[in-house]
Amino acid sequence: MQGNFWEQVGGRPTFEKLVRAFYDGIATDEVLLPMYPEQPDLEGAIQRLTGFLEQYWGGPTAYSDERGHPRLRMRHVPFRVNPDARDRWLTHMRAALDTLELSPLHDATLWSYLDRAAQSMVNTFDE
């Protein structure tokens, strides 16, 4: 296989499909949706997450060019991310990832990262 992960899985169209499918789930989640200040309009969040994931996996650096260092944990501090929120996030992301029909290696690689990222965002154990 040639190219970086971003190129191997199909570039922006793949990541945009992933993120849009993910936010379809978020739009109906009574726990997670309130964490999005712009909701019910999720387009800004869709563009930010798509840009972040693209950059992380070797695509364009527009995310950092526009927003600076990702600082994921710091950006999520204002929100109560407990294990239930993490699990819901992972449920929606797993469903979205399944829509991509990636190779088993690419799927496992991306899922491993997403799972670790979600675990690291937990900032409270309060219900």
Side-chain angles (χ1 to χ4, degrees):
M1 248 180 246
Q2 294 190 6
N4 61 31
F5 186 90
W6 181 79
E7 294 166 330
Q8 291 172 12
V9 299
R12 183 166 183 88
T14 299
F15 284 94
E16 187 156 10
K17 180 179 180 181
L18 171 72
V19 173
R20 288 191 180 281
F22 168 73
Y23 277 106
D24 285 347
I26 296 297
T28 62
D29 191 296
E30 68 276 0
V31 171
L32 297 180
L33 184 61
M35 293 186 192
Y36 292 85
E38 301 163 343
Q39 58 92 12
D41 180 9
L42 297 172
E43 190 60 33
I46 289 167
Q47 294 307 314
R48 288 187 296 274
L49 182 55
T50 300
F52 169 77
L53 290 173
E54 278 193 300
Q55 178 175 300
Y56 182 87
W57 291 103
T61 61
Y63 181 90
S64 287
D65 295 344
E66 295 170 12
R67 297 182 52 86
H69 189 280
R71 302 179 310 220
L72 287 182
R73 189 148 169 88
M74 186 195 83
R75 290 184 195 274
H76 289 81
V77 165
F79 308 104
R80 232 186 67 187
V81 182
N82 63 16
D84 179 50
R86 174 204 58 211
D87 293 347
R88 287 167 176 268
W89 191 95
L90 284 169
T91 295
H92 297 301
M93 191 55 82
R94 181 70 253 177
L97 185 52
D98 288 344
T99 70
L100 299 181
E101 300 177 358
L102 298 176
S103 73
L105 177 60
H106 287 116
D107 184 281
T109 300
L110 184 51
W111 180 247
S112 177
Y113 167 75
L114 294 166
D115 182 60
R116 285 190 322 274
Q119 303 297 339
S120 74
M121 293 300 110
V122 173
N123 58 25
T124 184
F125 289 93
D126 295 339
E127 290 299 314

